[in-house]
Amino acid sequence: MDVIRRPKIDDLVAGMDPMQLLKDMQQGFINYSQGRSVIPPVGELILPERNGEVHIKYGYTKQEAYYCIKIASGFYDNPALNLDSSQGMMLLFSQVTGAPKAIMLDEGYLTNLRTAIAGALVAKAMSPTQVTGVGIVGTGVQARFQLEELVKSGFPVKKVWIWGRNPVKAKALQTHFSRQFEVNIASSTTELAQHCNLIITTTTAKNPLLTAADIQPGTHISAIGSDTPDKQELASDILGKANLVVADSLSQCAVRGEIFHATAAGELAPNAAVELGDLLAGDHPGRVDDGQITVADLTGVAVQDIAIADAVYQAFLAE
Amino acid sequence: MDVIRRPKIDDLVAGMDPMQLLKDMQQGFINYSQGRSVIPPVGELILPERNGEVHIKYGYTKQEAYYCIKIASGFYDNPALNLDSSQGMMLLFSQVTGAPKAIMLDEGYLTNLRTAIAGALVAKAMSPTQVTGVGIVGTGVQARFQLEELVKSGFPVKKVWIWGRNPVKAKALQTHFSRQFEVNIASSTTELAQHCNLIITTTTAKNPLLTAADIQPGTHISAIGSDTPDKQELASDILGKANLVVADSLSQCAVRGEIFHATAAGELAPNAAVELGDLLAGDHPGRVDDGQITVADLTGVAVQDIAIADAVYQAFLAE
């Protein structure tokens, strides 16, 4: 049984081929949508007095070596203690005997990474042909990860607009990427949406930050932040107006995330969403012209955890 | 973050006061029934092709230091590989920051232990005044643990009858305890029930092993084995005939275990069961005379995992 700690995990990831990780992630979503993965409902533990929430995501893909349990928490008062709000670990167990094989003390890093890799995968699969501007709503850790993985995926990032409530964090994010590409700070999400036809939202907002009136024809939006029933980044009318709405998991998005809200609001018909794995497998055409508005609701599925944990552990074993 | 492995865990437990562990377990059940613990539904991952099942039990008691996640699996083909069918680990995280504090690689040991401590607690709380014979149905690891913890709890164990499908394992269990007290092997569960007014069932049976006709007046039965909707050790008419039926968790027993089956069969009225923590707190009188038949349905609750994990980790920190 291997205990793999943080600096080692960083080293292992640094040595990996980003394109292979994208392929692994894609295959994970396809396995899931094609019924080859067993993914029970997300476990959730809420600590309201601590401003904390814990998600337990777990499951396995048939015929593989391991089953995976991922514990990822957000304790949102941690930054005041100079600690990352993300905490947690990923666990791999033998599918044959149940014996623990690997404990990855990733401190939330692999969750951030797999979320961003899924973001890059979706951006490549659903964006219009010419992305004139990439808009990032939110200035936290995931905002940075999304941009980094987008670049690593080979996606052409030239002009970026960022928007966040905290000007200091917006400035820091701008500085972080300013040698790689042009980064502008938008004064509002409306301004951001005017410049961008790929928008990625990465906040923990409980009230929508963008409405349908903000969104230009031909825009793709990936909503990353909402993974619980009470979080919402996009006004429901955006999903109502969209030509295509994709869910990373139809069953999860029925009870959490943007699709849950838009369906509850009557803006989106039940069963209107398409599952990401079906789109990635080519069973759904996806975007059919550059004028369409498309939305991907990414709540985070255990197949992503399986994909990243397997990849890291294989790299560890190969050393 | 401490990683505590199996031999160390054994040492720590060996140094503990069994009476204190009983008290901790009792307080855990009382906290739970009095609403001081947050225990979400059990997570379950089934690997039918591997004859394996994984239970994830988790939660916390308010105002305490840690939240607990317990992963316990049964992979029932393991013995053929010379491996214990029980596998798993217990995890403690800070309730303040979510940071992992302890990983206990207990290989299912602490689950076996806390299950047996709860069994001893219930035997002491619910048995008739004079226990003439203790009957153990099943000859696996948990059968042994139940007898051991019963003895450690100070319960007067004099004559024991054991019954199991496997005569070799029955003989081994008899030999294991024969220097401590009289151990008889029963030829049937009916014979066992004739001799015993405390019966503890510890099997993974999917069909009942005892019926109401077997049970003598004044018997207490603790059903330990059934923790899923498909396992059942007691015919529903036993619960129908019982004067008192106790659930370790009313919400869990509504969807798994003996109470679930008896309610579905119409033998037990919904809401007829009493919760263990209410009985232990004195809010329910429990057994009121020695002629009553009583049943405790113990499906295993995360408060038990919290209690044992906390106790082991405190002992570790105190060293």
Side-chain angles (χ1 to χ4, degrees):
Chain A
M1 219 281 313
D2 298 302
V3 179
I4 313 175
R5 292 177 189 262
R6 182 59 198 277
K8 183 70 192 168
I9 293 172
D10 291 23
D11 287 351
L12 291 167
V13 171
M16 289 177 185
D17 175 4
M19 292 304 167
Q20 187 58 47
L21 278 178
L22 274 175
K23 277 186 197 162
D24 293 344
M25 199 59 65
Q26 168 152 324
Q27 191 57 49
F29 282 114
I30 293 173
N31 287 339
Y32 177 64
S33 292
Q34 295 187 348
R36 286 192 293 275
S37 300
V38 176
I39 308 292
V42 176
E44 205 163 63
L45 189 65
I46 309 295
L47 296 94
E49 290 161 26
R50 304 303 192 171
N51 200 13
E53 60 183 22
V54 184
H55 286 170
I56 307 174
K57 295 185 178 180
Y58 56 107
Y60 65 94
T61 297
K62 295 167 192 173
Q63 313 299 335
E64 289 190 354
Y66 310 114
Y67 81 80
C68 179
I69 298 178
K70 196 274 297 279
I71 298 145
S73 62
F75 279 71
Y76 300 108
D77 296 340
N78 281 4
L81 304 168
N82 210 19
L83 262 181
D84 198 330
S85 31
S86 294
Q87 298 287 333
M89 61 178 75
M90 288 196 182
L91 308 167
L92 289 176
F93 300 81
S94 163
Q95 281 193 25
V96 178
T97 66
K101 292 296 178 186
I103 297 175
M104 301 186 200
L105 297 168
D106 70 320
E107 302 167 15
Y109 167 62
L110 294 177
T111 296
N112 283 330
L113 182 63
R114 62 79 155 150
T115 302
I117 293 171
L121 192 62
V122 167
K124 290 180 92 165
M126 296 183 69
S127 292
T129 316
Q130 296 294 329
V131 170
T132 50
V134 177
I136 305 287
V137 177
T139 57
V141 174
Q142 186 55 220
R144 178 168 59 74
F145 268 88
Q146 287 287 334
L147 276 171
E148 281 174 357
E149 293 308 312
L150 205 55
V151 171
K152 281 192 203 164
S153 77
F155 193 94
V157 181
K158 286 167 194 160
K159 295 186 182 184
V160 171
W161 273 260
I162 58 178
W163 176 88
R165 284 176 307 174
N166 182 328
V168 176
K169 290 175 75 176
K171 183 73 195 164
L173 191 66
Q174 182 187 41
T175 304
H176 183 87
F177 286 107
S178 59
R179 286 170 59 177
Q180 290 181 260
F181 36 75
E182 177 189 321
V183 186
N184 309 282
I185 295 178
S187 60
S188 66
T189 55
T190 301
E191 189 200 344
L192 177 145
Q194 281 167 359
H195 294 289
C196 301
N197 56 353
L198 167 61
I199 299 175
I200 302 171
T201 62
T202 66
T203 73
T204 58
K206 294 191 174 176
N207 293 298
L209 299 169
L210 285 162
T211 65
D214 295 320
I215 307 303
Q216 308 214 54
T219 298
H220 170 73
I221 309 170
S222 287
I224 309 288
S226 177
D227 56 355
T228 61
D230 62 332
K231 293 182 199 160
Q232 182 179 12
E233 300 184 280
L234 307 182
S236 294
D237 61 0
I238 294 180
L239 284 80
K241 186 178 176 183
N243 302 89
L244 172 63
V245 176
V246 166
D248 55 2
S249 158
L250 289 173
S251 61
Q252 279 186 203
C253 292
V255 292
R256 55 183 74 228
E258 306 298 338
I259 289 171
F260 162 71
H261 283 284
T263 308
E267 288 279 358
L268 188 70
N271 307 320
V274 172
E275 201 163 70
L276 179 57
D278 290 329
L279 184 147
L280 294 173
D283 295 335
H284 185 281
R287 169 184 291 279
V288 292
D289 74 61
D290 278 344
Q292 289 192 315
I293 291 175
T294 57
V295 174
D297 186 9
L298 302 177
T299 58
V301 191
V303 286
Q304 297 169 253
D305 302 309
I306 294 171
I308 196 80
D310 271 352
V312 171
Y313 193 44
Q314 290 309 321
F316 177 84
L317 292 177
E319 281 204 328
Chain B
M1 219 280 312
D2 298 301
V3 179
I4 313 176
R5 290 175 191 263
R6 183 58 198 280
K8 184 69 192 167
I9 293 172
D10 291 24
D11 288 351
L12 292 167
V13 171
M16 288 177 187
D17 174 4
M19 293 304 167
Q20 187 58 47
L21 278 178
L22 274 174
K23 276 185 200 164
D24 292 345
M25 199 59 67
Q26 167 152 326
Q27 191 57 49
F29 283 115
I30 293 173
N31 287 339
Y32 177 62
S33 292
Q34 295 187 345
R36 286 192 293 275
S37 299
V38 177
I39 308 292
V42 177
E44 204 164 61
L45 189 65
I46 308 296
L47 297 93
E49 289 160 28
R50 304 303 191 170
N51 199 15
E53 59 184 22
V54 184
H55 286 171
I56 307 174
K57 295 184 178 180
Y58 57 106
Y60 65 95
T61 297
K62 296 169 192 172
Q63 312 298 334
E64 288 190 353
Y66 310 115
Y67 80 81
C68 180
I69 298 178
K70 196 274 294 283
I71 298 143
S73 62
F75 279 71
Y76 299 107
D77 297 339
N78 281 4
L81 304 168
N82 210 20
L83 260 183
D84 197 332
S85 29
S86 294
Q87 299 286 334
M89 62 178 74
M90 288 197 183
L91 308 168
L92 289 176
F93 300 81
S94 164
Q95 281 193 25
V96 180
T97 66
K101 292 296 176 183
I103 297 175
M104 302 186 199
L105 297 168
D106 71 320
E107 301 166 17
Y109 168 62
L110 294 177
T111 295
N112 283 330
L113 181 62
R114 62 76 155 154
T115 302
I117 293 172
L121 191 62
V122 167
K124 292 181 90 165
M126 296 183 69
S127 292
T129 316
Q130 297 293 330
V131 169
T132 51
V134 177
I136 305 286
V137 177
T139 56
V141 174
Q142 186 56 217
R144 179 167 59 74
F145 268 88
Q146 287 288 332
L147 277 171
E148 281 174 356
E149 293 309 311
L150 206 55
V151 170
K152 280 191 203 164
S153 76
F155 192 93
V157 181
K158 286 164 192 162
K159 296 187 180 182
V160 170
W161 274 260
I162 58 179
W163 177 88
R165 284 176 309 175
N166 183 329
V168 176
K169 290 176 75 179
K171 183 73 193 160
L173 192 64
Q174 183 186 39
T175 305
H176 182 86
F177 286 106
S178 58
R179 287 170 60 175
Q180 290 181 258
F181 38 72
E182 178 189 320
V183 185
N184 308 282
I185 295 178
S187 61
S188 66
T189 54
T190 301
E191 189 200 346
L192 177 143
Q194 280 166 0
H195 294 290
C196 300
N197 57 352
L198 167 61
I199 299 175
I200 302 170
T201 63
T202 65
T203 74
T204 58
K206 295 194 175 174
N207 293 298
L209 300 168
L210 285 162
T211 66
D214 295 320
I215 306 304
Q216 309 215 54
T219 299
H220 171 73
I221 309 169
S222 288
I224 309 289
S226 176
D227 57 353
T228 61
D230 63 332
K231 294 182 197 159
Q232 183 179 13
E233 301 184 278
L234 307 182
S236 293
D237 60 0
I238 295 180
L239 284 81
K241 189 179 174 182
N243 303 88
L244 172 63
V245 176
V246 166
D248 57 0
S249 157
L250 289 172
S251 62
Q252 280 185 205
C253 292
V255 294
R256 56 184 74 227
E258 307 298 337
I259 291 171
F260 162 70
H261 284 284
T263 308
E267 289 278 356
L268 188 71
N271 307 320
V274 172
E275 201 163 70
L276 179 57
D278 289 330
L279 185 147
L280 294 173
D283 294 335
H284 185 279
R287 170 184 289 278
V288 291
D289 74 61
D290 278 347
Q292 290 192 315
I293 292 175
T294 56
V295 174
D297 187 9
L298 302 178
T299 58
V301 192
V303 283
Q304 298 169 250
D305 302 309
I306 294 171
I308 197 78
D310 270 350
V312 171
Y313 193 44
Q314 290 309 320
F316 177 83
L317 293 177
E319 282 204 327

